[in-house]
Amino acid sequence: MLAELLNHHLLSSIFAVVATIALFQFVAVFQRKLNAIWLQPMLVSILVIMSFLLWQNISFDHYFASSWFLNALLEPAVVALGFPLYQHLSTITKQWKSILLVLCIGAFIAIVTSFVVTMLLIGDYTIAVALALKSVTTPIAIAIAGQLDGNTAITAFAIILAGFFGALVGPPWLKFINVNSPKAQGLAIGAASHAIGTATVSNISYEHAAYSSLALIVSAVITATFSPFIINFLVTLL
Amino acid sequence: MNKFKHKVFNVLYSMFAILSCVALGKVCAFYAPLLPGSLYGLMLFTLTLHVRIFDADRIKDSVVWGVKHMGVCFVPAGVGIMNHFDLIRQFGITIVMITFITTFILLTIVGLHYQRYANDQDENDDEGSHVS
């Protein structure tokens, strides 16, 4: 009985992981062939898998449990981003003041605009906190949202949205407004779209990967440190 | 054959380097819970490479490959959106719109600011090269 169950679980695990990777690779090859940015492999894979699960009436929890192997790789993948960062460490240390300044301004504006606009349009504090934190990486945002009594489910949802939006629209938009330096593009996308954006621009160049992972870390630290003060202050104002 | 052995060794070495940083990152997150373990791990990985505890040349090939393909690891977590359909229905398109607009603003501000700085930097470099 147990062996049978285990077997079953092992099979569905292997199937979920292999199918996810195969689908992702397929879309990636297709994207390169057609040279179409909007065919983002991550996004297309998610949409296809979601439709498949809904169609076959499989719960997300079952798929998530079966694809544990890919999830287990998430942390090592984020740690691996330390490599591009290491390669650009010498240029980054020369510019740390301007980088810190830009990212502080960015984090401040992101928190204030999201919080104020949500309070004005929806008027719900828990959602406003959730949206104020959407530009930082999931584990940090969820932790702060919990601390500030925000809605963690909406936080998780908004983080994914912000991630994909920046990953998809970020590079063409930045080019359009004449932001051509890989450093500026990397910083902007890392600050706005955390790990999802970083994973996407890592494909473009190594410099993108380095500056994007830098923005990911620094923005997370800045937001974790200052968002409780900023949000408490805004609450007294509104 | 020797080359193959070398490659296998480098892959194992990279895995060891990354996993030890993941583990150390978790320890840091346990004692100083300001940041999640993976971000501590990222910084530790950069630091250990910088002070040459790990040999960057051995790690390079496997990590470059890994970083290029890391997107697939985010797919299962992303599918999680399907658990929040009721939230999307409830608050309608407002959340989506606010997220899009504020992400747009953030992208633009950080991008433009740093681009301006990068341009100044280039000009300074040019002037510097004229002088020398």
Side-chain angles (χ1 to χ4, degrees):
Chain A
M1 180 70 188
L2 191 72
E4 219 177 86
L5 254 170
L6 211 74
N7 235 345
H8 185 70
H9 182 72
L10 187 70
L11 270 182
S12 70
S13 279
I14 293 173
F15 178 72
V17 171
V18 171
T20 307
I21 295 176
L23 178 65
F24 186 90
Q25 274 305 321
F26 178 75
V27 181
V29 169
F30 215 61
Q31 181 196 33
R32 235 171 289 141
K33 279 243 166 88
L34 290 179
N35 210 0
I37 305 172
W38 56 271
L39 256 179
Q40 218 273 328
M42 228 190 295
L43 188 66
V44 176
S45 308
I46 288 175
L47 291 177
V48 171
I49 291 171
M50 209 152 65
S51 331
F52 179 78
L53 296 180
L54 288 173
W55 175 49
Q56 287 292 323
N57 235 339
I58 303 171
S59 75
F60 165 69
D61 297 330
H62 184 77
Y63 169 72
F64 197 67
S66 299
S67 56
W68 64 269
F69 177 71
L70 288 175
N71 275 300
L73 283 180
L74 258 183
E75 284 200 326
V78 172
V79 170
L81 286 171
F83 194 78
L85 194 58
Y86 149 77
Q87 288 187 309
H88 288 86
L89 209 57
S90 59
T91 41
I92 286 168
T93 43
K94 264 183 233 151
Q95 305 156 348
W96 68 270
K97 269 187 202 159
S98 49
I99 291 174
L100 198 66
L101 181 72
V102 166
L103 293 178
C104 272
I105 296 172
F108 182 77
I109 290 173
I111 296 169
V112 173
T113 51
S114 314
F115 189 84
V116 171
V117 172
T118 315
M119 281 308 265
L120 293 177
L121 289 181
I122 301 181
D124 185 312
Y125 171 79
T126 59
I127 301 178
V129 171
L131 292 188
L133 300 172
K134 67 174 183 321
S135 299
V136 285
T137 184
T138 315
I140 291 189
I142 298 280
I144 310 171
Q147 248 176 51
L148 296 173
D149 297 323
N151 184 326
T152 47
I154 294 189
T155 313
F157 171 63
I159 289 170
I160 298 175
L161 267 184
F164 279 114
F165 185 65
L168 275 179
V169 182
W173 168 250
L174 289 170
K175 243 178 248 159
F176 177 72
I177 56 172
N178 270 330
V179 175
N180 292 316
S181 135
K183 295 172 187 167
Q185 288 187 356
L187 280 180
I189 288 169
S193 300
H194 47 89
I196 296 180
T198 306
T200 312
V201 292
S202 299
N203 248 335
I204 306 178
S205 84
Y206 235 61
E207 213 169 9
H208 279 91
Y211 279 80
S212 197
S213 25
L214 178 73
L216 169 80
I217 307 168
V218 178
S219 300
V221 177
I222 295 170
T223 308
T225 322
F226 294 110
S227 63
F229 300 107
I230 300 176
I231 288 176
N232 281 331
F233 176 71
L234 288 174
V235 168
T236 56
L237 275 186
L238 287 170
Chain B
M1 194 59 206
N2 224 347
K3 215 175 167 186
F4 178 72
K5 259 190 202 161
H6 215 72
K7 251 190 174 166
V8 172
F9 176 78
N10 283 352
V11 170
L12 291 176
Y13 181 79
S14 314
M15 274 156 81
F16 171 74
I18 289 178
L19 290 180
S20 47
C21 289
V22 171
L24 271 176
K26 289 201 184 220
V27 174
C28 292
F30 181 77
Y31 286 108
L34 174 69
L35 290 178
S38 53
L39 289 195
Y40 279 121
L42 199 168
M43 290 192 253
L44 282 168
F45 192 40
T46 308
L47 188 76
T48 47
L49 285 166
H50 187 66
V51 297
R52 290 170 206 281
I53 292 177
F54 291 121
D55 180 359
D57 291 334
R58 284 187 187 284
I59 289 176
K60 192 175 178 192
D61 288 344
S62 6
V63 170
V64 168
W65 183 86
V67 168
K68 221 179 147 201
H69 294 92
M70 68 184 269
V72 71
C73 304
F74 289 87
V75 172
V79 177
I81 289 189
M82 67 185 272
N83 269 3
H84 302 304
F85 278 151
D86 51 329
L87 279 176
I88 305 169
R89 223 167 287 146
Q90 203 180 341
F91 299 104
I93 211 126
T94 324
I95 290 180
V96 178
M97 286 310 293
I98 295 173
T99 306
F100 281 9
I101 292 167
T102 49
T103 304
F104 219 60
I105 296 174
L106 185 55
L107 273 174
T108 311
I109 289 174
V110 174
L112 280 181
H113 257 270
Y114 202 78
Q115 180 70 42
R116 204 181 307 152
Y117 171 79
N119 290 346
D120 291 351
Q121 230 22 39
D122 286 350
E123 272 170 31
N124 284 346
D125 286 353
D126 286 351
E127 279 167 25
S129 57
H130 283 310
V131 173
S132 62

